[in-house]
Amino acid sequence: KSAGNDRNDNGPAAGATYLLGFGSTTSTTNRNPDGGTTGFDCIPTQGNAKNILTVGAVNPVTGGGAYAGPASVTMSAFSGWGPTDDGRIKPDVVADGVGLYSASNTADDDYSVKDGTSMAAPSTSGSVGLLLEHWQNELGGVPRAATMKALLINEADESGTANGPDYTFGWGQVNVADAAQIISIHSYEGCEQ
């Protein structure tokens, strides 16, 4: 699930009249930007669910795309940040979500460059699909969703300035190569699922 692109979104200008929700009630009360002054607590409702994988968006890794430590992963200007209302870490992981080449809706054969957690989440989902195929080839069967989520979280690259998991980068940037290697090692050692 994408973490949403609402951090730092501003409401109407102070004194402007706007509709509250989908009804006919209006207001002129000044609204804080999503995430308030600090940017936290702005992941949409569904992204806070306990058993899903919530993915935030980061800028492409600096220095040519190769991970070079936590400082090489920088946050996008829009990705939603946690925590959940009960204090759980969200997003769970982050992935590139800025400047991705993707299909466009202007024509059946058109592509464009896009930004958003809606770019980071599908690239992570595709990576999970490849890891599931690798798991089946190496170990047979299909792992539980919780197992795949744990694999992605445990093999994520540390990101940002805070040590360990945090409410901006979660457990870090998805590292599919390391996750695949763990599956291969597990197969080599002859361990059971």
Side-chain angles (χ1 to χ4, degrees):
K1 174 74 177 105
S2 63
N5 304 324
D6 295 329
R7 186 169 46 88
N8 297 325
D9 278 357
N10 287 309
T17 302
Y18 57 91
L19 289 172
L20 290 175
F22 296 102
S24 59
T25 306
T26 61
S27 177
T28 57
T29 304
N30 188 30
R31 307 290 288 193
N32 290 329
D34 286 344
T37 57
T38 61
F40 292 100
D41 193 20
C42 60
I43 294 177
T45 306
Q46 297 88 347
N48 289 298
K50 180 180 165 195
N51 294 321
I52 64 169
L53 182 70
T54 304
V55 182
V58 292
N59 295 306
V61 174
T62 58
Y67 178 80
S72 67
V73 182
T74 59
M75 181 53 59
S76 67
F78 52 80
S79 186
W81 291 352
T84 63
D85 287 346
D86 62 359
R88 287 177 290 115
I89 300 287
K90 288 290 178 179
D92 297 301
V93 291
V94 294
D96 287 354
V98 177
L100 274 72
Y101 191 65
S102 182
S104 177
N105 63 352
T106 56
D108 290 344
D109 59 352
D110 196 19
Y111 294 86
S112 62
V113 175
K114 299 182 182 198
D115 301 336
T117 57
S118 292
M119 295 287 99
S123 66
T124 301
S125 297
S127 298
V128 168
L130 292 171
L131 290 170
L132 289 170
E133 181 178 5
H134 184 55
W135 184 292
Q136 187 170 28
N137 291 339
E138 294 290 315
L139 302 169
V142 178
R144 294 175 183 234
T147 302
M148 189 56 61
K149 180 177 178 179
L151 180 62
L152 286 175
I153 285 172
N154 282 287
E155 292 307 313
D157 289 330
E158 177 65 41
S159 302
T161 57
N163 288 329
D166 58 58
Y167 298 137
T168 57
F169 294 92
W171 273 264
Q173 185 174 38
V174 171
N175 186 328
V176 180
D178 281 1
Q181 187 173 23
I182 289 295
I183 294 169
S184 296
I185 290 169
H186 191 74
S187 173
Y188 174 75
E189 292 176 352
C191 299
E192 296 295 320
Q193 287 188 46

